[in-house]
Amino acid sequence: MTFAVDTENILTRDVAETRSSLVFTTSYTLELALKEHAAEYQGRCIVEFDYRPGGNGQLKLDFITKEIHAITLNGKATEEYHKGDFAIYLDKNHLRAGRNMLEITYTSVFDKTGSGFHKFHDPEDGDEYMHTDFEPYDAHCLFPCFDQPDIKASYQLTVTGPSKWTYIHNTRPEHTRTDGDEVTIAFKRTAIFSTYLFALVVGPYTKWEDRYNEIPLGIYCRKSLAKYMDADNIFAITREAMGTLETYFDYPYPYGKYDQVFVPEFNFGAMENVGCVTFSEHYVFRNKKLYSEHLDRANTITHEMVHMWFGDLVTMKWWNDLWLNESFADYLSYFAMSRGTLFSDALEHMFVRKEWAYQQDQYSTTHPVASSARDTIEAFSNLDGISYSKGASALRQLQYFIGDEAFRAAIGKYFKRFAEKNTTLDDFLSIMSETSGTDIIVWSRQWLETTGVNTLLSRIDNGRLRIEQQGSAENDLIRQHALEFTGYRQVGDKLVEHETQKIIIDGKTAEAQLKPDTAFVILNTHDHDYVKVFYSPDDLAIARKSLQTIEDPFARRLLWGSLWQMVRDNAFSPTEFIQMGIDIGMNEKDLSILNSHIIAKIKAIVSVYLTDDNRTIWMPRLNAMARERLALPENSEEEQIIWFGLLHETALLPDELDYLHALITGTESIASLEIDQEKRWNIIARLMAFGHSEAEPLFSREKELDKSDLGQKKAFMVEASRPQSTAKETCWQAFTEQSSHSTDYLRYGMKGFHWRTQKDLLAPYVDRFFEALEKVYTERDVHYSGAFGHALFPQWNQTLGMLEKIEKFLAEKGDNGSELPALLRKMLIEQADDLKRILPILERQQG
């Protein structure tokens, strides 16, 4: 027969729905043979499934491999198949109605993209490490499978390889046989779960062990990083999270063990493989970190654990309901942490996370929380601030709206009803409605099935609070909001909390009676709502004078967050934000607020929202202020880390760069601050980019001192920072041509390529960037092309000409770029949206 063969590594929803009507009760038996220092590995996979005849005459089995050696169907060797680049196509006439068994032996090549079956070589000790990463559509890089979430299966894995390696899977070993330097491990057959949750991690990992009740806990990292691992802290987070979640969900941890493995060159923060979570090594802290960074790591640990229930035990049917995994994990991780003792202020930090959602939701590429996903590329595209953070915020709003007891009871019922099954939006809505006694469908239409963010404005008029709700920019939608507000009275220069009320806003306006003497109101205290809050000129005058007198740190955080949104919407001057930060923000005693909402935003303003003239004014002021603050002997180590970050990123003038040089050579020092390896590389990159006379000898010495893989990647970043045309050209060739280097290595070079002070040198790469885009996004994997598109976009070129260039490029490729690869089109539209936001802010400064 003639087979219809895919030309792209994509699975469409239509094909997946057809296939799930044909294939049932699937199981895999997989044998892998791994060799040391090999580019390839051997595999044998038995796929068993029940088949219901139908479809277009062929059955697609997703599979990317170098070579197939033999295929046996139902006990007989067969050649009645076609092998495409991305799948095997079976003739349906050779399949039985009922049970079928397909056996395939093959040779495959390790990946170097961070996904699939990725292999890493550690330059420090020569050891090799391998890990899998499959979301949303990469399991078929390791073994032939029906690679879609609603064809769940069990898996029996046997691995043969060097006995010096550790082998970590979704289950524990059942049998182990050692033969000289070689070991064969047969793992227990797994529970039923989706293909993208399969895991195998291999290498000479260092292991730490603990238990939570009867659940074995493991932590792993590669040997050269073991000295940095703070396993006791991570186990404490793990035990607290598991106890909180089991209690809140009223459903025990569903799997037999819980391993957490920190793997090299991981593309995401972490991945929730059943019983074997993989994490980026960025979470192995090699130097001192801020409290907020420890909280973020704890949140990632808890987030992945929530997935053991939301995503692994109960999985969305198709990727349009990705939010059933990610929104729940995103919210309930912060919520669970807030109920513990280690990070009880976690919900305050969720407000920082929501900035991702606010930004994403104001792009013209935004999508509903319950989104469409025509194929796996769009599914990957939807791994964004909407599916994670906006969905999490909507769930927090729902919990506040219906009450925690109803919300919690519905979750417990959801797990009991749908364990090891797949669900849709309707399943969630029906179980929430029946449990709460409230029609959640109406709520869903407003919050989960629409786009955009509302803005609230308020004023005090004759003792009443009057609130105006503005529709989102794209669709002018007005929603129902359940939130709190807190009123303050003025006592001298202080704002003293006076009252807190809950209010339902159901329309364009709402009112509430205030207590006498209420002079200032903060809307959405405790952040139950997903909404922007803007302040009037009168309120801003009060805030400038008295913001720091508000005792509640969460309220101060919300105020600073609103000011930042107003800057982005051109409703508050970026220079006024900086000045306000200098005048009152520098006295902020909550260091996470100081860092996340004041210093980080000032650095963003300097980078993005200032004209060149204003940048040359403000950078030296900020640098001098940072240096003054660093000189205070009473500062804590965490404060010093924050101020050093500002000092480093505002170093512009020769004496400022000389001071960085003095810090790295030790002729100058800062109390309570170590110039650690990360800071050393970042200083060298900046000195190199600015053409400092001592940059080259420092660079040569540092390469000799730091032989780690991260040292090699940072060295490439410094190479890319060189203000020399030959260096730029060499790096550009590495970025645009097929390379033996990993995606992660090249990503570091991309970070160092663009510097605003190198505009003339970089000018030719504007056109070359656009010339390379289609080839990169067509020929390279999604992780590489995404890194290329975002890191190498010339952010320094904030001009009307750049906006016109993007729009012309899109217009030449169909209707607004419709002929371009979907991820490329989205990236360019969002860059254009950013410029449309930035240019009026810059123009206003020039006026």
PDB file of all heavy atoms in Angstrom, residues 41-59:
ATOM      1  N   TYR A  41      23.147   3.645  20.896  1.00  0.00           N
ATOM      2  CA  TYR A  41      22.715   2.610  21.820  1.00  0.00           C
ATOM      3  C   TYR A  41      21.763   1.673  21.087  1.00  0.00           C
ATOM      4  O   TYR A  41      21.178   2.006  20.051  1.00  0.00           O
ATOM      5  CB  TYR A  41      22.050   3.208  23.064  1.00  0.00           C
ATOM      6  CG  TYR A  41      20.820   4.054  22.779  1.00  0.00           C
ATOM      7  CD1 TYR A  41      19.539   3.503  22.802  1.00  0.00           C
ATOM      8  CD2 TYR A  41      20.943   5.411  22.486  1.00  0.00           C
ATOM      9  CE1 TYR A  41      18.417   4.269  22.546  1.00  0.00           C
ATOM     10  CE2 TYR A  41      19.831   6.200  22.238  1.00  0.00           C
ATOM     11  CZ  TYR A  41      18.573   5.621  22.264  1.00  0.00           C
ATOM     12  OH  TYR A  41      17.455   6.389  22.001  1.00  0.00           O
ATOM     13  N   GLN A  42      21.614   0.475  21.636  1.00  0.00           N
ATOM     14  CA  GLN A  42      20.778  -0.555  21.030  1.00  0.00           C
ATOM     15  C   GLN A  42      19.459  -0.670  21.798  1.00  0.00           C
ATOM     16  O   GLN A  42      19.441  -0.522  23.028  1.00  0.00           O
ATOM     17  CB  GLN A  42      21.478  -1.920  21.034  1.00  0.00           C
ATOM     18  CG  GLN A  42      22.896  -1.893  20.482  1.00  0.00           C
ATOM     19  CD  GLN A  42      22.958  -1.402  19.054  1.00  0.00           C
ATOM     20  OE1 GLN A  42      22.182  -1.860  18.212  1.00  0.00           O
ATOM     21  NE2 GLN A  42      23.857  -0.464  18.780  1.00  0.00           N
ATOM     22  N   GLY A  43      18.402  -0.950  21.079  1.00  0.00           N
ATOM     23  CA  GLY A  43      17.110  -1.089  21.720  1.00  0.00           C
ATOM     24  C   GLY A  43      16.287  -2.236  21.158  1.00  0.00           C
ATOM     25  O   GLY A  43      16.437  -2.622  19.991  1.00  0.00           O
ATOM     26  N   ARG A  44      15.467  -2.783  22.018  1.00  0.00           N
ATOM     27  CA  ARG A  44      14.470  -3.779  21.611  1.00  0.00           C
ATOM     28  C   ARG A  44      13.195  -3.453  22.363  1.00  0.00           C
ATOM     29  O   ARG A  44      13.193  -3.358  23.584  1.00  0.00           O
ATOM     30  CB  ARG A  44      14.937  -5.195  21.956  1.00  0.00           C
ATOM     31  CG  ARG A  44      13.887  -6.289  21.723  1.00  0.00           C
ATOM     32  CD  ARG A  44      14.488  -7.666  22.006  1.00  0.00           C
ATOM     33  NE  ARG A  44      13.488  -8.717  21.959  1.00  0.00           N
ATOM     34  CZ  ARG A  44      12.841  -9.186  23.026  1.00  0.00           C
ATOM     35  NH1 ARG A  44      13.115  -8.684  24.245  1.00  0.00           N
ATOM     36  NH2 ARG A  44      11.956 -10.146  22.911  1.00  0.00           N
ATOM     37  N   CYS A  45      12.113  -3.239  21.622  1.00  0.00           N
ATOM     38  CA  CYS A  45      10.865  -2.823  22.250  1.00  0.00           C
ATOM     39  C   CYS A  45       9.724  -3.717  21.773  1.00  0.00           C
ATOM     40  O   CYS A  45       9.559  -3.943  20.567  1.00  0.00           O
ATOM     41  CB  CYS A  45      10.544  -1.364  21.911  1.00  0.00           C
ATOM     42  SG  CYS A  45       9.078  -0.721  22.745  1.00  0.00           S
ATOM     43  N   ILE A  46       8.953  -4.217  22.739  1.00  0.00           N
ATOM     44  CA  ILE A  46       7.731  -4.967  22.430  1.00  0.00           C
ATOM     45  C   ILE A  46       6.541  -4.078  22.800  1.00  0.00           C
ATOM     46  O   ILE A  46       6.412  -3.649  23.951  1.00  0.00           O
ATOM     47  CB  ILE A  46       7.671  -6.287  23.206  1.00  0.00           C
ATOM     48  CG1 ILE A  46       8.848  -7.187  22.816  1.00  0.00           C
ATOM     49  CG2 ILE A  46       6.350  -7.001  22.967  1.00  0.00           C
ATOM     50  CD1 ILE A  46       8.958  -8.444  23.662  1.00  0.00           C
ATOM     51  N   VAL A  47       5.728  -3.790  21.807  1.00  0.00           N
ATOM     52  CA  VAL A  47       4.535  -2.969  22.007  1.00  0.00           C
ATOM     53  C   VAL A  47       3.318  -3.884  21.905  1.00  0.00           C
ATOM     54  O   VAL A  47       3.089  -4.513  20.867  1.00  0.00           O
ATOM     55  CB  VAL A  47       4.427  -1.860  20.940  1.00  0.00           C
ATOM     56  CG1 VAL A  47       3.290  -0.903  21.274  1.00  0.00           C
ATOM     57  CG2 VAL A  47       5.745  -1.115  20.792  1.00  0.00           C
ATOM     58  N   GLU A  48       2.556  -3.981  22.973  1.00  0.00           N
ATOM     59  CA  GLU A  48       1.332  -4.776  22.958  1.00  0.00           C
ATOM     60  C   GLU A  48       0.133  -3.839  23.081  1.00  0.00           C
ATOM     61  O   GLU A  48       0.148  -2.908  23.904  1.00  0.00           O
ATOM     62  CB  GLU A  48       1.337  -5.774  24.110  1.00  0.00           C
ATOM     63  CG  GLU A  48       2.458  -6.812  24.000  1.00  0.00           C
ATOM     64  CD  GLU A  48       2.429  -7.809  25.141  1.00  0.00           C
ATOM     65  OE1 GLU A  48       1.557  -8.707  25.124  1.00  0.00           O
ATOM     66  OE2 GLU A  48       3.262  -7.658  26.054  1.00  0.00           O
ATOM     67  N   PHE A  49      -0.878  -4.093  22.265  1.00  0.00           N
ATOM     68  CA  PHE A  49      -2.036  -3.207  22.275  1.00  0.00           C
ATOM     69  C   PHE A  49      -3.252  -3.911  21.680  1.00  0.00           C
ATOM     70  O   PHE A  49      -3.121  -4.827  20.855  1.00  0.00           O
ATOM     71  CB  PHE A  49      -1.746  -1.927  21.483  1.00  0.00           C
ATOM     72  CG  PHE A  49      -1.382  -2.159  20.026  1.00  0.00           C
ATOM     73  CD1 PHE A  49      -2.340  -2.066  19.028  1.00  0.00           C
ATOM     74  CD2 PHE A  49      -0.067  -2.471  19.668  1.00  0.00           C
ATOM     75  CE1 PHE A  49      -1.994  -2.271  17.692  1.00  0.00           C
ATOM     76  CE2 PHE A  49       0.276  -2.696  18.339  1.00  0.00           C
ATOM     77  CZ  PHE A  49      -0.689  -2.593  17.343  1.00  0.00           C
ATOM     78  N   ASP A  50      -4.412  -3.491  22.134  1.00  0.00           N
ATOM     79  CA  ASP A  50      -5.660  -3.921  21.520  1.00  0.00           C
ATOM     80  C   ASP A  50      -5.997  -2.977  20.384  1.00  0.00           C
ATOM     81  O   ASP A  50      -5.871  -1.744  20.528  1.00  0.00           O
ATOM     82  CB  ASP A  50      -6.800  -3.920  22.542  1.00  0.00           C
ATOM     83  CG  ASP A  50      -6.659  -5.033  23.568  1.00  0.00           C
ATOM     84  OD1 ASP A  50      -5.949  -6.011  23.283  1.00  0.00           O
ATOM     85  OD2 ASP A  50      -7.242  -4.906  24.658  1.00  0.00           O
ATOM     86  N   TYR A  51      -6.429  -3.537  19.276  1.00  0.00           N
ATOM     87  CA  TYR A  51      -6.681  -2.738  18.068  1.00  0.00           C
ATOM     88  C   TYR A  51      -8.111  -2.919  17.613  1.00  0.00           C
ATOM     89  O   TYR A  51      -8.624  -4.035  17.530  1.00  0.00           O
ATOM     90  CB  TYR A  51      -5.716  -3.159  16.957  1.00  0.00           C
ATOM     91  CG  TYR A  51      -5.932  -2.434  15.659  1.00  0.00           C
ATOM     92  CD1 TYR A  51      -5.671  -1.080  15.548  1.00  0.00           C
ATOM     93  CD2 TYR A  51      -6.402  -3.115  14.533  1.00  0.00           C
ATOM     94  CE1 TYR A  51      -5.869  -0.406  14.347  1.00  0.00           C
ATOM     95  CE2 TYR A  51      -6.601  -2.460  13.329  1.00  0.00           C
ATOM     96  CZ  TYR A  51      -6.334  -1.109  13.237  1.00  0.00           C
ATOM     97  OH  TYR A  51      -6.542  -0.449  12.060  1.00  0.00           O
ATOM     98  N   ARG A  52      -8.763  -1.795  17.334  1.00  0.00           N
ATOM     99  CA  ARG A  52     -10.105  -1.788  16.755  1.00  0.00           C
ATOM    100  C   ARG A  52      -9.974  -1.289  15.322  1.00  0.00           C
ATOM    101  O   ARG A  52      -9.590  -0.136  15.098  1.00  0.00           O
ATOM    102  CB  ARG A  52     -11.027  -0.868  17.551  1.00  0.00           C
ATOM    103  CG  ARG A  52     -12.437  -0.765  16.967  1.00  0.00           C
ATOM    104  CD  ARG A  52     -13.242   0.283  17.720  1.00  0.00           C
ATOM    105  NE  ARG A  52     -13.425  -0.090  19.105  1.00  0.00           N
ATOM    106  CZ  ARG A  52     -13.638   0.780  20.084  1.00  0.00           C
ATOM    107  NH1 ARG A  52     -13.644   2.085  19.832  1.00  0.00           N
ATOM    108  NH2 ARG A  52     -13.815   0.362  21.313  1.00  0.00           N
ATOM    109  N   PRO A  53     -10.230  -2.112  14.315  1.00  0.00           N
ATOM    110  CA  PRO A  53     -10.008  -1.705  12.922  1.00  0.00           C
ATOM    111  C   PRO A  53     -10.746  -0.417  12.580  1.00  0.00           C
ATOM    112  O   PRO A  53     -11.866  -0.172  13.023  1.00  0.00           O
ATOM    113  CB  PRO A  53     -10.539  -2.885  12.120  1.00  0.00           C
ATOM    114  CG  PRO A  53     -10.414  -4.049  13.040  1.00  0.00           C
ATOM    115  CD  PRO A  53     -10.701  -3.501  14.410  1.00  0.00           C
ATOM    116  N   GLY A  54     -10.104   0.407  11.776  1.00  0.00           N
ATOM    117  CA  GLY A  54     -10.699   1.660  11.339  1.00  0.00           C
ATOM    118  C   GLY A  54      -9.627   2.586  10.821  1.00  0.00           C
ATOM    119  O   GLY A  54      -8.471   2.204  10.632  1.00  0.00           O
ATOM    120  N   GLY A  55      -9.967   3.820  10.584  1.00  0.00           N
ATOM    121  CA  GLY A  55      -8.988   4.810  10.146  1.00  0.00           C
ATOM    122  C   GLY A  55      -8.747   4.741   8.658  1.00  0.00           C
ATOM    123  O   GLY A  55      -9.566   4.242   7.876  1.00  0.00           O
ATOM    124  N   ASN A  56      -7.576   5.243   8.238  1.00  0.00           N
ATOM    125  CA  ASN A  56      -7.297   5.449   6.812  1.00  0.00           C
ATOM    126  C   ASN A  56      -6.462   4.344   6.183  1.00  0.00           C
ATOM    127  O   ASN A  56      -5.856   4.543   5.142  1.00  0.00           O
ATOM    128  CB  ASN A  56      -6.581   6.791   6.630  1.00  0.00           C
ATOM    129  CG  ASN A  56      -5.215   6.808   7.309  1.00  0.00           C
ATOM    130  OD1 ASN A  56      -4.835   5.846   7.972  1.00  0.00           O
ATOM    131  ND2 ASN A  56      -4.482   7.891   7.137  1.00  0.00           N
ATOM    132  N   GLY A  57      -6.380   3.217   6.827  1.00  0.00           N
ATOM    133  CA  GLY A  57      -5.640   2.106   6.231  1.00  0.00           C
ATOM    134  C   GLY A  57      -4.261   1.907   6.802  1.00  0.00           C
ATOM    135  O   GLY A  57      -3.591   0.948   6.440  1.00  0.00           O
ATOM    136  N   GLN A  58      -3.817   2.812   7.694  1.00  0.00           N
ATOM    137  CA  GLN A  58      -2.504   2.649   8.306  1.00  0.00           C
ATOM    138  C   GLN A  58      -2.585   3.052   9.774  1.00  0.00           C
ATOM    139  O   GLN A  58      -3.459   3.804  10.187  1.00  0.00           O
ATOM    140  CB  GLN A  58      -1.460   3.511   7.586  1.00  0.00           C
ATOM    141  CG  GLN A  58      -1.695   5.003   7.712  1.00  0.00           C
ATOM    142  CD  GLN A  58      -0.693   5.823   6.910  1.00  0.00           C
ATOM    143  OE1 GLN A  58      -0.244   5.399   5.855  1.00  0.00           O
ATOM    144  NE2 GLN A  58      -0.355   6.995   7.406  1.00  0.00           N
ATOM    145  N   LEU A  59      -1.656   2.526  10.546  1.00  0.00           N
ATOM    146  CA  LEU A  59      -1.555   2.886  11.959  1.00  0.00           C
ATOM    147  C   LEU A  59      -0.163   3.441  12.194  1.00  0.00           C
ATOM    148  O   LEU A  59       0.838   2.797  11.887  1.00  0.00           O
ATOM    149  CB  LEU A  59      -1.790   1.657  12.848  1.00  0.00           C
ATOM    150  CG  LEU A  59      -1.709   1.912  14.356  1.00  0.00           C
ATOM    151  CD1 LEU A  59      -2.811   2.856  14.813  1.00  0.00           C
ATOM    152  CD2 LEU A  59      -1.782   0.600  15.129  1.00  0.00           C
TER     153      LEU A  59
END
